[in-house]
Amino acid sequence: MSDLGHDPTGNPDPLGNHEPTGDRDPKPTPPDNHDRGPNPAGVPASTPDHHRTSTLSRDRTRTLGRERLAGRISRFDRSHRVDRTLAHAITRVTGEALGPYQSAVIRIGFAATWLLFLLREFPHREELYGPDGPWSWDLAQQLIASNHAFTALMWADGQVWFGIVYAFAVLSSFLLMLGWRTRTMSVLFMVGVLSLQNRSIFMGDGGDNVIHLMAIYLVLTRCGQVWSLDERRERRARDACARGAWVGPDRAGPVLWTVLGLVLAAATLAGKIDGGFLGGWRTIYWGLWAVQGLWWLAGRYGRSVQPRILLDVVANLVHNAALFVIMAEACLIYATAGWYKIQGTRWQDGTAVYYPLHLDYFSPWPALSDLLSASGTLMLLVTYGTVIVQVAFPFTLFNRRVKNVLLAAMITEHAVIAVVLGLPFFSLAMIAADAVFLPTSFLRRVGGWAARARGRLFSRLGRTLRTVPRPRKEPERTPETAERAEPPHVGFTA
Amino acid sequence: MDAYDKGSNARPVPGEPAAAVPVPDSSPPDGHETADDHKTSDGHETSDSPGQKLSGEAPARIPQQYGDPQRDDQRYDGRYDDEQYVDTALAGPPLPPPTGIAALSLPYQIAAALALAVVAVAACVHVGMVFLHVAPSNTVTKQHGQAIDEWIYPEFEQNWKLFAPNPLQQNIAVQVRADVRAADGEIRTTRWYDLSALDGAAIDGNLLPSHTQQNELRRAWDFFVATHDNANRPNGLRGSLSEKYLRRIVVLRLDREQAGGRGAVVQQVQVRSRTSNVPPPKWSQEQVSDKPIVRVLPWWPVSEADRAAGTRPAESTGTEASAR
């Protein structure tokens, strides 16, 4: 299932999720499209790719299969094509959590950005979010009483509580990055992000805003399907299962669930969590907690498999919808940034980029800024290029190649902004958001490199420490085999 | 979720020790493809080899490792559903096992369809609301602004007019001076401290500027300007909050600079802003005024509420100033 990129029927992806498709030849070979009769939902037909790779026997298998299929369904009218497409789309969005690599990379990206930000600001944490910072606890109290934003930092005004929340935010982002108990950690990560950012809203910039939104959306995605400790645990349990070894029941999950339930109960009884429309945050947190419990119960005690499949279907639906919202959000960011710029005279006369380079707050390297802005033509190119890329990006999602070119351009521009305008965390957050559009094939290659680098590092460490080499062989970490080893689902352990 | 891939998991893979997959007979008839079914000739990985996809024709396709009855005692990990279902319900025709909603019985299918409808509507409404929130004021936002705001605020608020429609073309320096009571009891007026210049100096050559240097004062001043009229009168709650915020920032900064000397205590402060145009580029013929515009705020008395912990308290004149 791992490669959701390969939409087997070549139907337009209902989610507009273009990334997943591997770098396949964009020019489809025509024959495939006529002789393919209407399929029952979920019956995949071959893609053009196979013409190039097919062996003799494979061709035979395919022809045979197609004849039989065609025979079985020839009674259907061609006009059922729409129904079929719809049925296929529904099967896809309910049957799998699309974009496992894309959702994993944004999970790692945002968690890492927030973690690095918290570590960098550690010396300034009191001034930014502390009870006695310039935006004092009392000021925050008055503002939050009027806007009802969620922040655990307002539960108490002591230094100790502040220290606990800050440490909690660091820990939750670290664990989310690693993908340990991803479902739970994504909620705790969101709590950490909201608690700190909503406490001092005037300290943030665009980067904080992106992290804020994505932290909320990530809660709804199954972002630990790959590149996570959850995935590794599942794989090991499965391997052990296959070897016939006994796998003990999960302990950490229920313990975590119980502890968080107690904390939630305490906070609710103390009246710390705001109600609001349909119960507001209280409903959300209790709901998320209850779903985890339900999941565990259905897996452990369910008499029928049906409730488990239903939960799985709903989880896939929510994941796919959230991934769609994340992509739409990224498009809206670029669209608004681009379309509003078009209306500005400075962006029209090609001097716009010159000005931020000469603002005291955004020019950490004045000499570099002067060098870049020495040429009016270069400024014009960068100015127009920025607008063109931002305006065009959402539309290029309909063409893989152009999209990837623009994506590379945007990521490069953000990397430059990080240094030239001194906005490293904003840029990192934007790059993480861009990463949701990266192609699966590229992400897997990067994953393979990372795994090999890690393997080399560990083997070197192992040699240095003269420890016994671990019995598990490394080959399974290569992209090809990683796919095979990858589980269809992350354990949604309670 | 595609059950075939799971089937392929069970196949012995060349180059992988067979011990990892102790089910020798689980190789389906289409097992001859295992060598190349994850790599196409151009090196791209694919998993949808035709034989694999059409292996519904092959009766032996159901992975046998999952047929082990003892696994029912194992902890559920979401993986086995399809096979289990296939084993019982679809044992006959070699159709591919249904996935997703198709794997459910009718009552559950109805529940899933309902969930699909709710999730789809919620996602579309949310994207629509965010769109209307970031879009320029228009017919719909004028009519339904209240509903949009209630959906968006406070957690989905966003503003992406970064440097748009025009980038900021002025450097706004926030400066402050204070009346301090010195250690000897004398009241003195300090010089003007250019706090923005201090921020700028801290940012210079800094790969990782802190929010305290880049955003704190800059955004506090923006907040102040946005919530005050030209006569510096606050417009309600946010106006008075912004005033207190700015006062706390300048007191903190003055103490950090040890304004008025060691042990001096800030009694009142005066803030002004000095807005100067960024000089136009050398290659442009444009002319802009190089005269800064100065906005001077009235003197503000500093109370205990304006002092952060770590700033010099009023009563402890002469004690060590603990500028953080």
Side-chain angles (χ1 to χ4, degrees):
Chain A
M1 66 86 43
S2 50
D3 199 347
L4 52 102
H6 293 82
D7 185 352
T9 58
N11 284 329
D13 192 319
L15 276 178
N17 179 7
H18 307 256
E19 323 337 287
T21 11
D23 282 351
R24 85 171 157 223
D25 194 330
K27 293 179 284 292
T29 339
D32 252 347
N33 289 327
H34 329 276
D35 56 358
R36 194 169 64 207
N39 290 347
V43 176
S46 61
T47 59
D49 246 359
H50 307 128
H51 283 287
R52 285 183 289 153
T53 56
S54 57
T55 62
L56 205 81
S57 56
R58 193 187 290 185
D59 269 340
R60 201 164 49 231
T61 322
R62 190 184 52 197
T63 320
L64 208 83
R66 186 169 295 142
E67 275 167 11
R68 283 210 212 164
L69 266 181
R72 194 180 300 145
I73 51 192
S74 58
R75 63 181 178 278
F76 290 108
D77 194 290
R78 288 243 164 170
S79 66
H80 282 86
R81 183 167 300 211
V82 178
D83 294 353
R84 196 184 67 225
T85 311
L86 189 68
H88 175 76
I90 290 174
T91 307
R92 248 168 97 69
V93 296
T94 57
E96 56 181 293
L98 299 165
Y101 291 92
Q102 285 77 13
S103 41
V105 82
I106 56 172
R107 178 199 83 221
I108 294 167
F110 288 114
T113 306
W114 182 241
L115 176 64
L116 291 173
F117 171 76
L118 292 179
L119 295 179
R120 192 270 167 263
E121 297 291 10
F122 189 78
H124 305 286
R125 65 191 187 286
E126 294 282 351
E127 190 176 340
L128 287 172
Y129 307 115
D132 212 15
W135 185 249
S136 67
W137 198 84
D138 289 329
L139 296 179
Q141 183 79 299
Q142 292 177 55
L143 188 69
I144 286 166
S146 69
N147 73 2
H148 304 291
F150 174 81
T151 163
L153 273 179
M154 300 316 292
W155 294 359
D157 63 355
Q159 282 293 338
V160 177
W161 179 243
F162 169 68
I164 291 172
V165 172
Y166 200 89
F168 167 86
V170 170
L171 186 68
S172 62
S173 51
F174 179 67
L175 291 176
L176 181 69
M177 185 177 76
L178 295 184
W180 186 77
R181 308 285 160 178
T182 317
R183 286 278 45 77
T184 306
M185 284 311 141
S186 66
V187 180
L188 300 186
F189 175 70
M190 177 186 76
V191 170
V193 169
L194 298 190
S195 293
L196 293 176
Q197 292 192 353
N198 287 342
R199 164 70 180 75
S200 304
I201 55 167
F202 299 107
M203 290 293 182
D205 53 29
D208 297 81
N209 202 337
V210 179
I211 293 174
H212 186 113
L213 296 168
M214 295 301 179
I216 298 174
Y217 297 146
L218 271 180
V219 170
L220 302 174
T221 61
R222 306 180 95 170
C223 51
Q225 297 176 93
V226 295
W227 297 342
S228 67
L229 292 179
D230 283 349
E231 183 266 337
R232 191 182 68 168
R233 190 175 61 247
E234 291 292 316
R235 177 160 38 82
R236 286 184 175 171
R238 209 164 41 246
D239 289 352
C241 232
R243 280 196 308 272
W246 185 78
V247 182
D250 178 38
R251 298 244 181 267
V255 169
L256 197 58
W257 184 76
T258 311
V259 169
L260 290 173
L262 290 174
V263 172
L264 195 52
T268 309
L269 286 177
K272 297 296 189 190
I273 305 179
D274 241 10
F277 179 66
L278 292 177
W281 284 110
R282 217 178 297 157
T283 313
I284 291 170
Y285 289 131
W286 279 113
L288 289 169
W289 183 80
V291 165
Q292 297 266 299
L294 195 65
W295 198 281
W296 185 79
L297 282 176
R300 199 171 168 90
Y301 299 112
R303 292 241 157 255
S304 146
V305 291
Q306 293 278 311
R308 300 191 302 206
I309 303 181
L310 179 66
L311 282 176
D312 201 47
V313 162
V314 174
N316 288 336
L317 274 173
V318 171
H319 164 95
N320 292 328
L323 205 57
F324 163 72
V325 170
I326 289 172
M327 290 177 169
E329 181 73 61
C331 288
L332 281 174
I333 292 174
Y334 285 118
T336 17
W339 285 104
Y340 280 111
K341 281 192 181 89
I342 277 193
Q343 304 166 33
T345 50
R346 287 295 178 200
W347 293 94
Q348 290 167 6
D349 70 14
T351 59
V353 173
Y354 168 86
Y355 290 97
L357 288 174
H358 291 84
L359 292 178
D360 295 339
Y361 273 102
F362 300 100
S363 53
W365 318 95
L368 183 63
S369 299
D370 285 341
L371 188 71
L372 285 175
S373 56
S375 157
T377 316
L378 181 69
M379 283 293 101
L380 173 77
L381 288 175
V382 176
T383 303
Y384 276 24
T386 303
V387 176
I388 291 170
V389 167
Q390 289 189 336
V391 169
F393 181 72
F395 302 101
T396 63
L397 293 181
F398 296 100
N399 182 303
R400 280 183 55 72
R401 282 192 179 177
V402 185
K403 182 262 295 175
N404 287 341
V405 171
L406 257 64
L407 202 54
M410 293 196 313
I411 290 177
T412 311
E413 182 164 11
H414 280 132
V416 172
I417 284 175
V419 178
V420 176
L421 295 186
L423 294 165
F425 297 107
F426 164 77
S427 299
L428 214 52
M430 288 311 297
I431 290 173
D434 292 339
V436 78
F437 295 105
L438 287 172
T440 300
S441 54
F442 172 78
L443 288 173
R444 284 164 140 192
R445 215 172 304 146
V446 172
W449 293 335
R452 272 192 293 277
R454 197 190 61 176
R456 266 199 298 275
L457 185 74
F458 278 155
S459 68
R460 196 166 304 159
L461 270 177
R463 243 176 293 143
T464 325
L465 301 170
R466 295 180 191 197
T467 51
V468 187
R470 301 168 79 187
R472 204 158 57 80
K473 68 243 168 290
E474 274 314 312
E476 73 174 302
R477 301 305 306 164
T478 65
E480 291 79 17
T481 50
E483 186 215 359
R484 204 165 306 241
E486 171 200 322
H489 299 292
V490 174
F492 272 55
T493 42
Chain B
M1 189 163 78
D2 184 341
Y4 297 118
D5 285 349
K6 282 182 245 163
S8 73
N9 286 347
R11 287 177 215 151
V13 177
E16 220 178 47
V21 188
V23 194
D25 59 340
S26 70
S27 178
D30 56 341
H32 60 267
E33 292 162 13
T34 48
D36 60 357
D37 66 353
H38 290 276
K39 263 204 183 289
T40 57
S41 55
D42 53 357
H44 296 135
E45 296 148 45
T46 66
S47 64
D48 52 344
S49 61
Q52 210 180 344
K53 289 304 176 195
L54 292 176
S55 63
E57 307 301 318
R61 177 212 63 74
I62 295 163
Q64 275 132 43
Q65 79 191 72
Y66 299 134
D68 186 353
Q70 79 169 35
R71 79 183 150 79
D72 290 339
D73 303 325
Q74 304 293 350
R75 197 172 61 79
Y76 165 69
D77 74 349
R79 238 179 99 70
Y80 305 132
D81 298 342
D82 295 324
E83 278 76 19
Q84 232 170 16
Y85 186 60
V86 168
D87 288 348
T88 55
L90 269 181
L95 269 173
T99 59
I101 201 166
L104 292 166
S105 61
L106 188 64
Y108 285 100
Q109 237 169 15
I110 292 170
L114 211 65
L116 171 66
V118 170
V119 169
V121 168
C124 291
V125 168
H126 180 71
V127 171
M129 288 292 190
V130 174
F131 174 83
L132 290 172
H133 172 62
V134 296
S137 172
N138 58 51
T139 315
V140 176
T141 51
K142 278 173 197 153
Q143 280 170 3
H144 304 287
Q146 177 89 27
I148 297 165
D149 285 353
E150 273 173 17
W151 185 283
I152 294 294
Y153 290 99
E155 305 298 355
F156 296 107
E157 182 184 2
Q158 49 201 292
N159 176 9
W160 307 114
K161 297 179 193 173
L162 311 164
F163 301 131
N166 273 324
L168 185 63
Q169 294 155 55
Q170 285 119 19
N171 277 309
I172 303 168
V174 179
Q175 303 172 338
V176 64
R177 64 175 175 176
D179 276 354
V180 295
R181 196 174 69 236
D184 54 13
E186 192 193 342
I187 304 282
R188 272 200 300 267
T189 304
T190 66
R191 64 176 172 90
W192 286 99
Y193 286 82
D194 190 336
L195 302 182
S196 298
L198 291 170
D199 279 345
I203 290 167
D204 271 355
N206 194 342
L207 269 177
L208 299 169
S210 165
H211 276 20
T212 53
Q213 297 151 358
Q214 207 166 28
N215 294 348
E216 185 181 286
L217 182 64
R218 182 177 62 88
R219 287 208 57 199
W221 180 253
D222 287 348
F223 182 35
F224 179 88
V225 170
T227 53
H228 284 74
D229 61 13
N230 287 333
N232 302 320
R233 279 186 303 255
N235 68 355
L237 172 70
R238 290 169 74 92
S240 71
L241 287 178
S242 78
E243 217 169 281
K244 289 177 191 155
Y245 182 37
L246 189 61
R247 201 153 54 224
R248 283 180 67 88
I249 293 177
V250 298
V251 171
L252 180 70
R253 299 288 179 93
L254 283 171
D255 278 353
R256 214 174 269 172
E257 296 302 317
Q258 303 210 347
R262 282 169 73 92
V265 174
V266 176
Q267 303 293 308
Q268 51 178 346
V269 291
Q270 186 177 33
V271 176
R272 72 176 181 192
S273 75
R274 193 169 173 280
T275 305
S276 47
N277 288 315
V278 171
K282 288 187 202 73
W283 29 267
S284 134
Q285 279 87 50
E286 220 174 306
Q287 299 287 323
V288 294
S289 157
D290 55 359
K291 276 226 178 72
I293 299 165
V294 177
R295 175 174 178 176
V296 184
L297 304 189
W299 281 94
W300 287 333
V302 173
S303 71
E304 272 319 291
D306 299 323
R307 291 177 219 275
T311 57
R312 296 166 291 188
E315 63 275 14
S316 63
T317 332
T319 56
E320 178 78 13
S322 52
R324 274 183 299 168

